[in-house]
Amino acid sequence: MSSDLKRGAAQPPSARTIESSSPRSTSLSPTSPRSTSPVLLALLTLLAFLGPLLATAAPASAAPSPGAKIADALRSSPVYVDPSYAESAVPPARQKELAAQIRKTGLPIKVVLVPLAKGDAFGGNPDTLAAVVRDHLDDRGEEGILITTEEWNDDIRGFEWPGRKHQARDAVGAVGLMDEFDDAGLAELTAEAIRLIERGDGKATYDKATKEMDEQLDDDLSDHASDGPGAAGGSGRPAWSVLVVAAVVAGALLTGAALLVRSGHRRRFRSGASAHPRAPFAFPQAVFAAAHAADEAELRRRAETEVLTLGEAARAADAGTTPGLRRALDAYAAAGTVLDSARGLPDLAGVLALVTEGRDALDGTPDPLPLCFFNPLHGRASRTIVWRPLGRRDRLRVSACADCARAVRERRAPEVLTDASETGPGGVPLPYFEVDAATSVWAATGYGSLIGGGNSGGDGGGAGGDRDGSEDGLARRVARGDFSRGRRG
């Protein structure tokens, strides 16, 4: 018996009066010489004790968890749609059609379409959603195929267990690569995914779709390669900068741009399918790149000024009242090291990132965001976003400025910082983060975005205290030789 029930139970009364229906009523009490029989007294005492308990309703059972609720619904129908989607995106009639389509396949397909958001019961993560639902279904020993909402809620993701017999993951991914489904809703995407799963050639379909996209991007690149290095002329600006401007102006590249960044959307490539396998994470070559406002000479002067300003601020700081002084001095030293050996814009941007790290240490800024991942010359990031690089299945949490975050959200290519010393087909400079991470500390760290736990299941957007240089920040990496190693060869 629970303690709260015990507290609510009344104690037996010390005395009772029982009136007989007989004309000869008899008053009974524990002190009465005419007491009841022991059996009757025991029953009366028991009733007095249990009466309040019987009258008190048992506490209602706890409401089922969201995962349990979904699993329960899936036992009666293979399609579960959150009420918020049932009003328009996947109405009841469409749900019945999907359920009938699934039953016709004879496959163990289940569909769960629910809005995902950080902080919800599934952490906004479709992998967690799938794992929780599977646990509640309690069918670990059986085959299962699950189609869920993707993290950004306008796309879907496929899961299959225990193996890949039905190629479900590839089939669902292939739908996201088909031009005819660019503007499709959840119901249409799900129906096509079920069709491809039933057909059983998801991997071949996926491979074909990715190949076609690679070819289209290569064609876009070839069409404009003639506008590249030779267009520099005598302007004095780096050749790659002119190429970037030409690419941005070229109307034909707008079509390519729509295909480039499907991060946060449905353009998904298998891991390893990159045109540049040496890159830490692949990004298509026909991407808009930005020289931004400053050329290299101007940026170098700005970087020198910023380093000197940080040094003066560190020297003027009171060690007793500035806990981050040591980290600021480390960042100052690292910025000087990088500035002395800087070869191009990526290195000079690294100087600014180190200066920012030092300033944050002096100011004691809690959990600061680094500079914009896509182009640190844009300045301080304003938020952390989820970004799926083309060529990768996994997602990255990166910090982005408002403009780049908006571009990703609207499925446009953000302006990115390129590395003129590393070129792809047609001599086009690569985005800095596509350079081999073994030779570029900037590609390895994303100027701070990729340091810490944000891309290993954490919540991102701050990934612990690493960004301020206290543990594994940019300054420490430069100090241990990560930057210098990249200068060799």
Side-chain angles (χ1 to χ4, degrees):
M1 185 179 301
S2 63
S3 59
D4 55 339
L5 292 180
K6 289 180 180 178
R7 287 192 296 270
Q11 298 302 317
S14 58
R16 291 203 177 269
T17 300
I18 303 178
E19 295 185 354
S20 170
S21 59
S22 169
R24 291 174 14 176
S25 63
T26 304
S27 178
L28 300 178
S29 72
T31 58
S32 171
R34 296 173 54 99
S35 59
T36 60
S37 68
V39 175
L40 181 58
L41 182 59
L43 289 174
L44 293 173
T45 302
L46 181 61
L47 287 174
F49 184 76
L50 293 179
L53 299 184
L54 296 174
T56 303
S61 58
S65 67
K69 179 181 178 182
I70 293 172
D72 287 343
L74 290 175
R75 292 186 178 96
S76 58
S77 171
V79 177
Y80 176 85
V81 177
D82 186 84
S84 63
Y85 285 155
E87 296 179 1
S88 57
V90 193
R94 197 70 173 95
Q95 295 176 38
K96 292 180 180 179
E97 292 176 1
L98 292 174
Q101 182 184 2
I102 291 173
R103 293 188 181 102
K104 185 177 178 180
T105 68
L107 297 175
I109 301 173
K110 290 180 172 56
V111 174
V112 177
L113 302 178
V114 300
L116 295 173
K118 186 175 179 181
D120 64 17
F122 311 106
N125 190 328
D127 296 286
T128 302
L129 169 62
V132 170
V133 171
R134 184 182 175 190
D135 281 341
H136 282 289
L137 287 173
D138 195 24
D139 58 356
R140 292 279 175 175
E142 303 175 7
E143 284 188 347
I145 298 171
L146 184 63
I147 300 173
T148 73
T149 325
E150 184 57 278
E151 189 164 13
W152 33 89
N153 295 317
D154 64 349
D155 197 4
I156 55 176
R157 186 186 294 196
F159 301 87
E160 181 178 355
W161 60 84
R164 296 191 175 184
K165 175 182 176 182
H166 302 288
Q167 304 175 28
R169 184 175 181 181
D170 287 313
V172 176
V175 177
L177 300 177
M178 298 177 178
D179 289 338
E180 59 266 37
F181 290 97
D182 274 354
D183 299 316
L186 289 175
E188 289 72 25
L189 293 172
T190 302
E192 181 64 14
I194 294 169
R195 190 183 72 81
L196 292 181
I197 293 172
E198 180 184 20
R199 202 167 69 184
D201 61 349
K203 185 177 185 303
T205 304
Y206 191 93
D207 289 342
K208 179 182 178 181
T210 56
K211 181 180 179 181
E212 290 175 351
M213 179 163 291
D214 283 341
E215 291 173 350
Q216 183 173 356
L217 292 174
D218 288 343
D219 288 344
D220 288 338
L221 181 65
S222 299
D223 290 343
H224 298 278
S226 59
D227 296 329
S235 67
R237 298 185 69 184
W240 66 267
S241 176
V242 177
L243 170 65
V244 166
V245 174
V248 172
V249 173
L253 267 185
L254 292 176
T255 301
L259 302 173
L260 303 181
V261 180
R262 297 287 179 156
S263 50
H265 192 50
R266 59 180 63 117
R267 296 286 185 178
R268 224 166 7 262
F269 281 75
R270 280 197 329 282
S271 179
S274 164
H276 297 274
R278 63 189 173 83
F281 14 83
F283 197 82
Q285 308 312 308
V287 65
F288 287 141
H292 212 246
D295 62 18
E296 185 173 333
E298 292 171 348
L299 186 59
R300 185 178 295 273
R301 287 191 292 271
R302 173 187 165 193
E304 291 172 348
T305 300
E306 295 292 337
V307 172
L308 290 174
T309 301
L310 173 62
E312 293 171 356
R315 284 190 292 271
D318 183 348
T321 59
T322 311
L325 180 57
R326 179 189 61 80
R327 299 196 304 275
L329 290 172
D330 290 344
Y332 169 68
T337 297
V338 174
L339 181 61
D340 289 343
S341 303
R343 295 178 179 175
L345 292 187
D347 289 347
L348 294 173
V351 174
L352 298 180
L354 286 160
V355 168
T356 300
E357 192 173 271
R359 285 177 174 170
D360 289 336
L362 283 178
D363 296 340
T365 307
D367 196 21
L369 288 174
L371 300 184
C372 176
F373 167 80
F374 296 101
N375 190 337
L377 300 183
H378 292 170
R380 173 88 72 177
S382 62
R383 70 202 68 183
T384 296
I385 64 173
V386 176
W387 176 62
R388 186 194 296 275
L390 294 183
R392 292 278 294 260
R393 277 195 182 277
D394 53 324
R395 301 170 306 286
L396 297 175
R397 294 186 184 276
V398 298
S399 299
C401 67
D403 287 342
C404 288
R406 185 180 306 109
V408 170
R409 185 173 64 251
E410 296 174 354
R411 298 184 283 281
R412 294 184 289 104
E415 289 186 338
V416 301
L417 178 66
T418 58
D419 188 338
S421 66
E422 297 283 345
T423 58
V428 177
L430 297 179
Y432 82 88
F433 45 78
E434 196 176 337
V435 177
D436 187 356
T439 63
S440 170
V441 67
W442 317 125
T445 63
Y447 293 96
S449 276
L450 305 182
I451 296 177
N455 291 300
S456 57
D459 63 357
D466 294 337
R467 285 188 175 137
D468 64 3
S470 60
E471 294 296 337
D472 193 26
L474 291 173
R476 181 172 179 179
R477 294 197 175 209
V478 171
R480 75 187 184 192
D482 289 16
F483 172 75
S484 300
R485 279 192 292 274
R487 303 299 89 188
R488 299 168 190 162

